[in-house]
């Protein structure tokens, strides 16, 4: 009876940690995945991890308020750190949509339940596709499993510096989004300059009616060509965020830039 009670206690704590990650991490947090499927997945992962993580040194399977909050904090550190990747893609889409004159075209984002720009949704979908095809979702799960060795079950003490470090790391969203949108920004800016010079040389041309379609066409061509660089770019940012999450649970308050 004691072994069964310890097993359930350890499974509950593991369930809380994995649930915190699934609630916010890219791909796993998508509302396209049914809630029941997520619940079954989290329960299966926790059930399979219990024999391994409960036997690690310094693991504490006893359920308490501090243990539950600590496990939830570990999951949230992973989930919120990696959620910055989705925000970076959304912001890059907003920048490109502004250059395409699509800033007023909004759609309902199923993940956040708010209206977001059309290209913001497109960038998030393409980023999720890169995550799946590159197998980064499996790397995230492997890192979560390794976290039980760094921070044994029920032994994590939440520290406010970890939350502050995540907030500071959010500043990398802007730099990373600008890097991702840079080819389109440069191309559309050059197109605007070219159209302006053309208008000076030939004032009879309807420059105002040419600017938007030429910018949009040029931007789509450059965006299509730059997609070849997306996998390497997103994998590098994902790896940097994952390393940051691992450092935060090992030493709260340590975070470095990831957007450069």
């Amino acid at each position: 009876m004691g072994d069964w009670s310890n097993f359930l206690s350890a499974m509950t704590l593991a369930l809380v940690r994995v649930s915190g990650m699934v609630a916010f991490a890219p791909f796993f947090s998508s509302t396209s995945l049914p809630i029941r499927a997520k619940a079954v997945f989290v329960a299966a992962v926790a059930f399979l991890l219990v024999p391994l993580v409960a036997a690690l040194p310094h693991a504490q399977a006893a359920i308490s308020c501090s243990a539950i909050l600590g496990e939830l904090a570990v999951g949230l550190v992973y989930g919120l750190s990696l959620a910055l990747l989705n925000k970076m893609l959304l912001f890059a889409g907003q920048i490109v949509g502004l250059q395409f004159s699509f800033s007023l075209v909004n759609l309902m984002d199923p993940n956040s339940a708010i209206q977001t720009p059309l290209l913001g949704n497109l960038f998030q979908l393409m980023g999720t596709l890169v995550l799946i095809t590159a197998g980064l979702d499996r790397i995230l799960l492997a890192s979560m499993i390794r976290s039980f060795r760094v921070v044994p079950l029920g032994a994590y003490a939440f520290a406010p510096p970890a939350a502050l470090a995540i907030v500071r790391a959010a500043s990398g969203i802007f730099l990373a989004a600008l890097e991702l949108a840079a080819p389109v920004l440069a191309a559309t800016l050059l197109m605007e300059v070219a159209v302006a010079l053309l208008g000076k040389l030939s004032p009879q041309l309807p420059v105002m009616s040419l600017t938007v379609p030429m910018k949009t066409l040029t931007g789509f061509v450059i965006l299509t060509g730059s997609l070849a660089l997306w996998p390497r770019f997103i994998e590098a940012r994902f790896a940097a965020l994952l390393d940051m999450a691992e450092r935060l649970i090992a030493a709260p308050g340590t975070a470095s830039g990831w957007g450069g």
Side-chain angles (χ1 to χ4, degrees), residues 7 27 42 62 71 79 82 90 98 127 129 159 179 193 221 223 247 260:
F7 179 86
F27 175 69
V42 170
E71 295 303 311
L82 294 171
L90 178 61
L98 183 63
L129 182 61
E179 289 180 349
V193 173
V221 171
L223 177 61
R247 288 195 300 270

Side-chain angles (χ1 to χ4, degrees), residues 9 25 30 48 52 70 73 83-84 89 96 108 142 158 165 167 192 197 220 248 250-251:
S9 299
S30 174
L48 294 174
L52 174 65
L84 298 179
L89 293 170
V96 173
M108 182 65 72
F158 179 74
V167 174
E192 286 183 340
L197 292 176
F220 271 120
L248 284 178

Side-chain angles (χ1 to χ4, degrees), residues 17 51-61 147-155:
R17 183 180 296 199
L52 174 65
V53 300
L56 292 174
H58 308 294
Q60 303 172 12
S147 72
F148 287 96
R149 183 177 296 276
V150 178
V151 180
L153 202 66

Side-chain angles (χ1 to χ4, degrees), residues 179-242:
E179 289 180 349
L180 187 61
V184 177
L185 286 175
T188 52
L189 178 61
L190 291 176
M191 180 56 63
E192 286 183 340
V193 173
V195 172
L197 292 176
L198 186 61
K200 288 291 185 180
L201 294 174
S202 181
Q204 295 81 10
L205 288 176
V207 176
M208 295 299 294
S209 60
L210 290 177
T211 303
V212 173
M214 292 184 68
K215 280 177 54 181
T216 303
L217 181 60
T218 303
F220 271 120
V221 171
I222 299 301
L223 177 61
T224 303
S226 65
L227 290 179
L229 304 176
W230 275 47
R232 181 178 299 177
F233 181 89
I234 292 179
E235 287 179 22
R237 298 306 175 276
F238 185 90
L241 288 171
L242 199 58

Side-chain angles (χ1 to χ4, degrees), residues 242-257:
L242 199 58
D243 290 342
M244 183 188 76
E246 293 177 350
R247 288 195 300 270
L248 284 178
I249 64 171
T254 59
S256 57

